[in-house]
Amino acid sequence: MTSFTGSPYLIKGGIVLVDPQTSAIQKVIALQYNPDTLTRTMQVHGTGGEGNSRSEALRLTGPPTENIKLEAEIDGTDQLETADKLTSKVGIQPQLAALEMMIYPTSGHLIANNNMAKVGTIEIAPMESSLALFIWNANRIIPVRITEFSITEEAFDVNLNPIRAKVSLGMRVLNVDDLGFNNKGGNLYMSYQQNKESLAAMFISGSLSKLGIKAIV
């Protein structure tokens, strides 16, 4: 028999890492607690400006540059109270390390590059990182690049393993100008924008009288 607790199922936000070539899911990092705030800023890409024709003032050259910022909390207190073996041994370091590795090249790639440099390889291609998808409900599955990352460790166990921390993440949305259309990330971006268009179409427009005017001459 299934008991009903009366509490709704809480959807978590998080980041999914995907292989950019095969689209295989490599890792799912769910945020332990959903942030209270999510800051999004957008920079318009238009042709208007000094020296441009007046006819160009309203033209858009592409999607805006969108940046997302959030602050996530990670707390291992409950796990310690239930004697979770992993948390008792290393604290919340696995969760922190999983997030940190999004901005690190792998040690294997670093070693391979060093070996190639030793034998005189002229050009060494930079490592292609995993495609990061920031997921914040079904309408927001967004390809992103991590641009800012900071960790504030706030409490430690007797072995100085962190057991509580705040993680600040800054992300830039990768759009079709960055990824192209023939790319998994580009396809996901287009779905993200099309979802915005669908939501905007649900908006019920007001009347000019609400603004205290009868007509625009």
Side-chain angles (χ1 to χ4, degrees):
M1 180 181 294
T2 302
S3 61
F4 177 65
T5 63
S7 299
Y9 178 72
L10 180 63
I11 300 295
K12 297 291 186 73
I15 295 173
V16 175
L17 301 181
V18 176
D19 186 299
Q21 303 300 324
T22 67
S23 299
I25 294 175
Q26 298 173 325
K27 189 173 294 183
V28 176
I29 306 172
L31 300 178
Q32 185 178 7
Y33 306 106
N34 288 331
D36 292 329
T37 59
L38 193 71
T39 302
R40 299 187 297 123
T41 58
M42 282 158 272
Q43 180 182 356
V44 178
H45 288 184
T47 59
E50 292 185 11
N52 289 323
S53 168
R54 291 179 181 175
S55 65
E56 301 293 313
L58 302 181
R59 296 186 186 276
L60 299 173
T61 61
T65 298
E66 181 175 358
N67 291 284
I68 300 171
K69 289 187 177 182
L70 62 86
E71 189 172 88
E73 295 184 5
I74 301 175
D75 194 330
T77 304
D78 290 342
Q79 290 90 329
L80 289 175
E81 289 181 352
T82 57
D84 177 78
K85 291 182 179 180
L86 184 61
T87 307
S88 299
K89 182 178 179 180
V90 293
I92 59 171
Q93 289 182 99
Q95 298 95 310
L96 296 177
L99 289 167
E100 290 177 60
M101 288 310 301
M102 292 190 297
I103 58 173
Y104 276 78
T106 66
S107 57
H109 190 83
L110 293 173
I111 292 169
N113 280 356
N114 182 59
N115 291 336
M116 285 191 289
K118 286 180 179 179
V119 298
T121 301
I122 296 175
E123 183 177 355
I124 299 174
M127 175 187 174
E128 184 175 27
S129 64
S130 300
L131 172 64
L133 306 176
F134 175 61
I135 298 181
W136 193 261
N137 77 36
N139 290 316
R140 294 181 179 181
I141 302 176
I142 315 168
V144 295
R145 170 177 285 171
I146 306 300
T147 55
E148 298 178 44
F149 194 112
S150 68
I151 298 172
T152 304
E153 298 179 0
E154 299 182 321
F156 304 87
D157 65 15
V158 293
N159 295 313
L160 294 183
N161 295 311
I163 55 174
R164 189 171 67 244
K166 287 184 179 178
V167 177
S168 296
L169 279 178
M171 298 169 280
R172 185 171 80 80
V173 174
L174 298 176
N175 57 45
V176 288
D177 287 344
D178 301 303
L179 300 168
F181 285 88
N182 299 320
N183 178 282
K184 178 66 173 179
N187 293 336
L188 287 169
Y189 173 80
M190 287 303 299
S191 295
Y192 170 58
Q193 178 165 327
Q194 288 163 353
N195 281 332
K196 281 180 182 283
E197 292 167 356
S198 297
L199 292 168
M202 297 178 189
F203 174 73
I204 300 173
S205 179
S207 64
L208 291 176
S209 62
K210 294 287 187 181
L211 307 179
I213 59 176
K214 294 182 179 180
I216 297 176
V217 179

